[in-house]
Amino acid sequence: MRIVERSVYKGPNLYSQTPMVRFMLDLDELESHPTNTLPGFVDALQASVPGLRNHQCSRRHTGGFSERLHEGTWMGHVIEHVALELQTAAGSPVTRGKTRSVRSRPGVYNVLISYANAEVALLAARIAVEHVTSLLPDHLAHTTGLDRLASPFARLPEESIAGFLALQQMISRTRLGPTTQSLLDAATARGIESEFVVEGGFIRLGTGARQQRIRASITSRTSHIAVELAGNKAQAKAVLRQAGIPVPRGVVVRDAETAALAINELRAPLVTKPLDGNHGRGISLGLMTAAEIRAGFFTASLHSTRVIVEEQLVGRDYRLLVVGGKFVAASERRPAHIMGDGRSTVLELIDVMNSDPRRGNGHSSVLSRVHVDAGLHDVLGSQGFGIESVPKAGQHVALRHAANLSAGGDAVDRTDEVHPATVTMAERAARIIGLDVAGLDIITADISANMTDGCGGVVEINAAPGLRMHLSPSEGIPRNVAAPIMGSLFPHRISSRIPITAVTGTNGKSTTVRMIAHILAHSGLTVGMTTTSGIYVGDQLVHAVDASGPKSARMILADPTVESAVLETARGGIIREGLAFRRADVGVVMNVAADHLGMKGINSLDDLARVKGVVARNVYRRGTTVLNADDPRTRAMASYAGGRVAYFTTKEGELDQHLENHQREGGLLARVETIAHRTTLWLHEGGAAHIIMDAAEIPATMGGVALFNTQNALAAILAAHAQGIPLAAIRAAMRTFESSFQQNPGRLNITTAPGFTAILDYAHNPAAMDALGAVVAHLKSTHDRAIGVVSIPGDRRDADIREIGRIAATIFDDLVFRERPDGRGRVAGGVLALLSEGAQQTGMSVERIRRVADEHAAVQTALEMAGPNDLVVVAPTEVTQSWEQITTFRMTLKSRIHAERLPFPATA
């Protein structure tokens, strides 16, 4: 049993519509040993991982998985359930998983498990394999080959218990705090996507120009000035006092002696605390003498150079939460304390309290543990106790003066008891300071009484207030205070996401993406676009790289200037990571043709259709899936496509029965119709037909000759129409879309040099080469000879490489074959030999074939071969470099001809 491969899917993927971790297991000899054939294995497994007895599996009742174990199931399925249970038992509950055999690979399984944290899931998978292996009979355990595992997973201690502890530590280290987690849960409940901007730091909610950001309860709408003001407790109270909000009197001091003098001006008891402290650190209460104030100053000065000395209000400690200027919750905070039982020491009682599973370290749990430190000894001493003292039964012993939860305190919900006047005062105070999310600390004898009668006051107002006391109070009703925060960031009529158009298919993706983006930009939107040429925001290329994968898509979705995203979504990224988004508003599938077969488990066109179909499957219910009706595998995706289905077709004449029914039922359809040599694009919707424009009006179609660009235009028009762009605006935009290097690099870029024409087109598979051949055939009628510079990546199958050579030989009179520098796993010259074989199979003579491995040299060879009125077609790998080379050659030739005063044709 070996782990031979792994993937982390962050979005919808081939196996699931939710994020999952996949690891491929090779069971080897264990394929012949299901669980019911291993004596004692099932009992040992369930004894060591008892939670497995509760798993339902496919039986949909508790104990279903146990039944499967006794009936006989395979080790991949066992590893799935153990990995899920390990995460749950360690503190990260997950339930979804699946195990599927890999076609054509007996004994190999894809095991998928859901996760809250991907690294935790991967670690759980490793531990699961090690633990299950430890339970196997000796003659089978040695076949697991864990020592041969190179490293999709880091090595762990050999003992499973040690691995489980490592898992718990990782979960503890990566778990989000209650405040952040509650906000993410509230976002998820509203369908708002989230992603960490910086791991463990800022979180982006929503996408593009509609996004908001949070860090705990600080939001992108939180005023920096308000945070600064709230952080300076003395200034904040001064501002509140000016507005008539009751606050205690106090002074700010820098030394102990000045602090001690405050007892002459203020009414005891007094409080000392850091000017800009938080979480109750450095606070001393009940100070009655100058000596106590000096000691309190020293404690506070450990946290701030300036210290507040103020009158201590008498009453209970309350926290009121105000969101968007509205009161949402109130909690009474009680300082950490114990109740004596007449038998146990203070330390033993603290240990009992800390054993409460709700208590954890810091802010990670509902409650915090009480730590024995100098401050605790001081509080005990002030009551006449020591750590080994035994309090009487029922005797209350304070452990802290401050009521902060982070110091071990607890909370009681008082939301429904707050006096209306106090609610109004709290809302005014939050607005006065300017905080969108504010936590007001109030001391009053009775929260249900009117504080304006002088029975309390505001002692602090806090930015970034913790939410856990409201979410999970020790007593009272839990309050979902994260929901109103999310509501203030995204009012119900405001969407959290920008429109997403995802385009996939074997050929035509890049051009269609650029056409859609051109239409949307022409309509006034700032468009973020990803293509194989790079990442674009507006009309700026921000990163020149093959950007057809999820990483590039996430970059666009995170950009706060982007109002609409148009994403080229290639096969490789879907297989590797899944989609970068939960759903698309418009999904476009251009076609499914032979390319990349034999790679990553994709061995047939049906396999490839499954990959492309991930885009169609993950379209919003109110969105639109655009499908090529002329491609059978693409058309078949309508059976599971999300949203409404729109078809495009370039087949003329009578529609087939399916499309006829689709049109008659009011479905969306774009098609072409040729009358008297005039090819017109039509849009059918709701039983009505609308003329879009003539194909010849779109420059990229070369007067209608480039049929593949007519197809691309139909898909782009449907995608734009589905997003509400008027036909008039679509028409105007398409009239200005050219197949130039500037607008669509590497896609049918044409330039006329003195004496010959050059075309740059990224045709890299048989279907694309055939489509290019139709254009070349049309142009050959006005040219003497066609020369092609052709290649294909070395990781394609031998048959595919020969097929490219064969097709190229039917298109061009002369060929220059080249290959990529990296070879993609093949020896130098291997691709050239196979291309030549394919060309010669058509009868092309070897004299017409040149083999030039280097791309630059191959392009130069073809350019120098060209005579007057020849056509040179370059299928590049390095698009920009090849175009610059052609342009430089053209300009050099033009200058030479001009210098020699020879006549030459006008240039394009």
Side-chain angles (χ1 to χ4, degrees), residues 26 75 155 192 278 282 333 345 360 552 653 779 804:
D26 183 351
M75 283 302 153
R155 291 290 295 169
I192 298 170
N278 52 35
R333 301 185 300 176
T345 66
S552 302
L779 294 176
I804 284 288

Side-chain angles (χ1 to χ4, degrees), residues 477-720:
I477 302 171
R479 306 288 176 170
N480 182 11
V481 294
I485 294 177
M486 207 53 52
S488 71
L489 294 174
F490 300 103
H492 282 290
R493 293 189 179 183
I494 297 179
S495 175
S496 65
R497 57 182 182 82
I498 59 173
I500 295 173
T501 304
V503 181
T504 193
T506 304
N507 295 309
K509 299 187 296 295
S510 292
T511 299
T512 304
V513 161
R514 288 180 176 275
M515 285 179 170
I516 297 169
H518 184 70
I519 296 169
L520 297 177
H522 195 272
S523 301
L525 295 172
T526 299
V527 180
M529 175 178 70
T530 62
T531 73
T532 50
S533 303
I535 300 171
Y536 297 78
V537 175
D539 58 358
Q540 296 296 313
L541 173 63
V542 298
H543 194 24
V545 67
D546 183 345
S548 58
K551 182 178 179 181
S552 302
R554 283 193 287 270
M555 188 181 299
I556 286 296
L557 297 176
D559 192 306
T561 67
V562 172
E563 297 172 309
S564 186
V566 186
L567 310 173
E568 182 172 344
T569 309
R571 162 210 61 88
I574 297 174
I575 293 172
R576 186 176 62 255
E577 282 187 53
L579 300 179
F581 45 86
R582 187 181 303 162
R583 295 281 189 276
D585 296 88
V586 178
V588 181
V589 186
M590 300 302 299
N591 42 60
V592 179
D595 197 13
H596 299 93
L597 298 182
M599 301 166 59
K600 295 291 185 180
I602 307 303
N603 300 311
S604 67
L605 287 176
D606 289 336
D607 290 341
L608 190 58
R610 286 178 53 242
V611 178
K612 307 293 185 183
V614 172
V615 169
R617 193 182 298 276
N618 291 284
V619 171
Y620 281 107
R621 182 171 54 85
R622 295 184 179 179
T624 302
T625 300
V626 178
L627 300 175
N628 182 355
D630 300 337
D631 181 81
R633 289 180 176 83
T634 303
R635 181 196 282 214
M637 295 176 191
S639 64
Y640 57 77
R644 65 171 175 169
V645 173
Y647 293 107
F648 64 93
T649 176
T650 54
K651 290 183 178 179
E652 301 196 48
E654 294 293 325
L655 296 173
D656 61 45
Q657 191 62 53
H658 178 77
L659 292 184
E660 180 67 35
N661 293 340
H662 180 77
Q663 179 181 317
R664 186 172 55 252
E665 292 167 2
L668 185 56
L669 170 71
R671 61 179 301 195
V672 298
E673 185 174 337
T674 301
I675 301 176
H677 304 292
R678 177 186 172 192
T679 301
T680 306
L681 277 56
W682 288 77
L683 184 77
H684 299 264
E685 184 178 26
H690 309 276
I691 294 178
I692 305 170
M693 62 198 307
D694 287 354
E697 293 182 77
I698 305 172
T701 69
M702 296 178 60
V705 172
L707 180 61
F708 54 86
N709 271 347
T710 301
Q711 281 188 323
N712 297 337
L714 289 172
I717 289 166
L718 284 173

